[in-house]
Amino acid sequence: MNKTLKIVSWNINSVRLRINMVLDFLQLHQADILCLQEIKCETDLFPYDAFKQAGYENCYVIGQKSYNGVAIISKIPLTHINIANVTGDQDGARFISANLPSGVVLKNYYIPAGGDIADETENVKFKHKMDFVRSLCDTATPNIPQIILGDFNIAPYEHDVWSHKQLLEVGSHTPQEVYLLNNFKQAGDFCDIARHFHDASQKVYSWWSYRSKDWQKSNRGRRLDHIWCSNSLKDSIKNFDIYQDYRNHERPSDHVPIAIEYAL
DNA sequence: ATGGTTGGGGGCCAA
């Protein structure tokens, strides 16, 4: 057994299209557990064999056609697999959890993007997003040690976006979304691991739009992807990484992988 | 304020 587990979160935006990139990443960075969002395929069409051949024999998947879909891919067997919807059938495949050997619960979320228009009466997708996060607040379990991660589609801090002022009314950075996300963080007694390692004055992004001629030059990024842990586990988190170079890969996802090292 | 690009799947919707 390793003394640490390397746990990765990555919105892959089609796992079948980018399977080779993912396998290269796993080998190069020696990840133990990979949590994917937006796999964009049905459960049966997930590339199980490719992961198994790479040494990841334990794949837990909830997919759907064309949209959404999440998975946990692991070198070690996990237990207590749970795919319960957060707010009901409307969610799509946006949640999967499993227990680590230490008993800590690992939860992988793909929170709805919700669109740009941050108005729950004008935009049903935004209402779905807000309902999703409200439901997370209402069902938080602060006494259960856990690591939660995924594409939260909310960038809470000023320096989680390229322009705080210009994005204040744009979905992902509005005060009402940040308020709800902070409620969830308090209700669950969570630590935002990226901000544990990088103070609030530093720009930290995990996503850059495809709609930019030169993403690196303009650097109009957002920190939409997160890894949180129970505050009681904070001292067990030994490292946090963002693999920004994967945004420069041929045919990249618009999100890059983020990772922690968790000491068992 | 707008527009810009990508993926799935074969329309256009979602991001």
Side-chain angles (χ1 to χ4, degrees), chain A residues 22-142:
Chain A
V22 174
L23 295 176
D24 288 348
F25 173 87
L26 290 173
Q27 186 179 25
L28 185 60
H29 296 289
Q30 290 293 299
D32 296 290
I33 298 176
L34 170 67
C35 298
L36 294 173
Q37 304 88 35
E38 276 206 276
I39 61 173
K40 285 188 171 174
C41 69
E42 288 174 295
T43 305
D44 292 346
L45 297 177
F46 189 82
Y48 295 97
D49 289 343
F51 284 110
K52 280 182 182 168
Q53 285 169 21
Y56 297 81
E57 299 198 355
N58 310 279
C59 296
Y60 312 102
V61 180
I62 175 69
Q64 77 182 70
K65 192 175 181 179
S66 303
Y67 306 110
N68 312 321
V70 290
I72 298 176
I73 292 127
S74 177
K75 283 185 177 175
I76 56 172
L78 306 177
T79 61
H80 298 80
I81 311 306
N82 176 17
I83 57 166
N85 282 342
V86 173
T87 66
D89 293 340
Q90 62 169 342
D91 280 346
R94 296 180 177 275
F95 171 73
I96 188 166
S97 77
N99 284 19
L100 304 178
S102 61
V104 166
V105 186
L106 175 66
K107 299 178 176 177
N108 178 13
Y109 290 104
Y110 176 42
I111 295 179
D116 286 347
I117 298 166
D119 185 315
E120 294 191 61
T121 57
E122 287 182 17
N123 177 0
V124 294
K125 289 186 289 184
F126 190 74
K127 182 178 190 309
H128 180 209
K129 179 183 202 172
M130 296 292 272
D131 285 342
F132 196 102
V133 183
R134 276 189 284 260
S135 182
L136 295 179
C137 296
D138 293 342
T139 57
T141 50

Side-chain angles (χ1 to χ4, degrees), chain A residues 2-239:
Chain A
N2 293 335
K3 72 176 198 294
T4 64
L5 280 182
K6 183 157 186 166
I7 303 174
V8 180
S9 175
W10 197 357
N11 178 321
I12 198 60
N13 187 16
S14 174
V15 67
R16 288 178 294 175
L17 183 66
R18 289 185 240 286
I19 182 64
N20 289 330
M21 189 192 323
V22 174
L23 295 176
D24 288 348
F25 173 87
L26 290 173
Q27 186 179 25
L28 185 60
H29 296 289
Q30 290 293 299
D32 296 290
I33 298 176
L34 170 67
C35 298
L36 294 173
Q37 304 88 35
E38 276 206 276
I39 61 173
K40 285 188 171 174
C41 69
E42 288 174 295
T43 305
D44 292 346
L45 297 177
F46 189 82
Y48 295 97
D49 289 343
F51 284 110
K52 280 182 182 168
Q53 285 169 21
Y56 297 81
E57 299 198 355
N58 310 279
C59 296
Y60 312 102
V61 180
I62 175 69
Q64 77 182 70
K65 192 175 181 179
S66 303
Y67 306 110
N68 312 321
V70 290
I72 298 176
I73 292 127
S74 177
K75 283 185 177 175
I76 56 172
L78 306 177
T79 61
H80 298 80
I81 311 306
N82 176 17
I83 57 166
N85 282 342
V86 173
T87 66
D89 293 340
Q90 62 169 342
D91 280 346
R94 296 180 177 275
F95 171 73
I96 188 166
S97 77
N99 284 19
L100 304 178
S102 61
V104 166
V105 186
L106 175 66
K107 299 178 176 177
N108 178 13
Y109 290 104
Y110 176 42
I111 295 179
D116 286 347
I117 298 166
D119 185 315
E120 294 191 61
T121 57
E122 287 182 17
N123 177 0
V124 294
K125 289 186 289 184
F126 190 74
K127 182 178 190 309
H128 180 209
K129 179 183 202 172
M130 296 292 272
D131 285 342
F132 196 102
V133 183
R134 276 189 284 260
S135 182
L136 295 179
C137 296
D138 293 342
T139 57
T141 50
N143 297 317
I144 298 177
Q146 55 201 293
I147 293 169
I148 74 163
L149 53 74
D151 179 1
F152 291 3
N153 270 312
I154 299 175
Y157 289 82
E158 176 175 350
H159 293 296
D160 290 343
V161 295
W162 62 275
S163 171
H164 175 63
K165 283 184 182 171
Q166 285 177 259
L167 292 174
L168 264 176
E169 294 181 12
V170 178
S172 78
H173 191 61
T174 63
Q176 59 265 45
E177 289 165 272
V178 173
Y179 174 80
L180 276 189
L181 192 68
N182 285 335
N183 273 1
F184 175 41
K185 193 163 118 187
Q186 283 179 16
D189 192 24
F190 289 119
C191 167
D192 176 343
I193 295 173
R195 286 298 176 197
H196 181 62
F197 285 90
H198 301 284
D199 70 62
S201 68
Q202 297 181 58
K203 296 178 190 298
V204 184
Y205 308 144
S206 65
W207 171 89
W208 292 261
S209 172
Y210 286 126
R211 308 172 194 180
S212 160
K213 278 178 185 163
D214 186 338
W215 73 276
Q216 224 156 6
K217 188 179 172 191
S218 57
N219 196 25
R220 293 186 169 187
R222 304 180 197 176
R223 187 169 73 98
L224 302 178
D225 303 275
H226 300 269
I227 307 180
W228 293 359
C229 68
S230 300
N231 274 313
S232 60
L233 294 176
K234 201 160 47 180
D235 292 341
S236 305
I237 308 302
K238 301 304 180 190
N239 208 2

